[in-house]
Amino acid sequence: MPDLSTDAAVLRAALAWQVELGADEAIGETPVSRFEAAARPPPPVRQAAVAAAAPQAPAELTTEALAAGCGELAALRAAMAAFEGCALKKGARNLVFSDGNPAARVMVVGEAPGRDEDRAGLPFVGRSGQLLDRMLAAIGLSRRAEAPEAAVYVTNVLPWRPPQNRDPAADEVAMMLPFLHRHIALVAPDLLVAVGNSAARTLLGTTTGITRLRGHWAEWRGVPVMPMFHPAALLRNPELKRAAWADLLAVRKRLDGA
């Protein structure tokens, strides 16, 4: 005789009979008040268990941390190329990192790439860059020189071209500033030349315009800085070239130790 407590056919038949009688819910022998259950607060959740169960997203490194972790120029360039936090990167063709000899005594800092620089991936290659090269050549300096005493190293505050060549925005400059500071520290030039309003104000931490800043030596973390008019301004206003020539002579005099 089959065991009625375990025979599958018997159990299915008993279940079907109960369903026909209307017993379509599984309940216990003790009555349960649903109203009381709803009114009771849920059991406390252990915070430690929640924290352990929650996925831990890696913390995003700041530009300060990214820059500080770069011990050489190649690493700095790679870190900037991989950085996705600046919206300018999405509209630019190339990262414009630098040009010239990193062993140079003189480091020139501009504001941002233009159309020609964005295409070439190099700073100061358009008309203003060609003028800058001629200006530097007039005092015996060149970005193509191998000897540090005759060489120039060139970069910008921003490595990507702003749309329509607009001025760099304050938040863009603030975001990328740690990279620039690290860039200068790695090159360790004897002096800096800041060309244009944005570069001069960024390096010197001032709101004073380039017209008042130019021609006067300042300092960035102990490094002498000569603010100058941007070559683009000289192309628009040739009368400014006399002042630019005076500033170049001051740079030459400083290099010669006079």
Side-chain angles (χ1 to χ4, degrees):
M1 182 176 180
D3 186 351
L4 298 181
S5 64
T6 58
D7 185 83
V10 173
L11 294 175
R12 282 197 297 272
L15 179 60
W17 179 73
Q18 294 181 52
V19 171
E20 288 181 5
L21 293 178
D24 56 358
E25 293 186 18
I27 59 176
E29 295 182 358
T30 304
V32 177
S33 172
R34 302 300 180 188
F35 295 102
E36 292 180 3
R40 285 196 299 269
V45 179
R46 296 176 60 188
Q47 295 299 321
V50 173
Q56 300 297 315
E60 293 185 3
L61 292 178
T62 63
T63 51
E64 289 86 352
L66 289 170
C70 299
E72 56 185 18
L73 290 174
L76 181 65
R77 181 186 186 116
M80 293 172 67
F83 182 62
E84 300 292 341
C86 184
L88 292 177
K89 181 179 181 180
K90 298 178 176 61
R93 294 187 180 186
N94 289 298
L95 172 80
V96 180
F97 184 69
S98 68
D99 193 20
N101 186 348
R105 296 183 63 195
V106 178
M107 183 173 184
V108 176
V109 179
E111 55 183 28
R115 181 185 60 185
D116 295 328
E117 289 75 17
D118 183 41
R119 289 176 175 174
L122 294 170
F124 287 97
V125 295
R127 288 183 64 215
S128 62
Q130 295 166 16
L131 177 56
L132 177 65
D133 286 343
R134 294 196 297 271
M135 293 164 60
L136 294 171
I139 58 170
L141 300 177
S142 170
R143 66 173 99 182
R144 299 290 168 253
E146 295 183 3
E149 60 271 16
V152 174
Y153 185 78
V154 187
T155 190
N156 283 309
V157 172
L158 296 181
W160 296 291
R161 178 195 181 195
Q164 306 302 318
N165 289 352
R166 62 163 171 76
D167 292 337
D171 60 334
E172 295 164 348
V173 172
M175 179 183 298
M176 303 305 294
L177 190 56
F179 288 124
L180 175 64
H181 287 174
R182 189 60 178 157
H183 203 159
I184 297 172
L186 290 172
V187 175
D190 289 343
L191 63 85
L192 290 158
V193 176
V195 292
N197 256 326
S198 182
R201 288 175 172 177
T202 298
L203 284 178
L204 303 180
T206 181
T207 58
T208 304
I210 190 63
T211 301
R212 294 181 59 187
L213 290 173
R214 61 133 305 265
H216 302 282
W217 285 102
E219 283 192 358
W220 177 86
R221 300 184 181 181
V223 181
V225 180
M226 173 54 74
M228 292 179 54
F229 288 120
H230 196 285
L234 304 182
L235 291 173
R236 294 190 300 267
N237 303 290
E239 66 274 11
L240 299 178
K241 290 183 178 180
R242 177 175 295 184
W245 175 240
D247 297 342
L248 288 169
L249 291 177
V251 170
R252 183 70 265 174
K253 185 176 181 180
R254 191 72 173 243
L255 290 173
D256 292 339

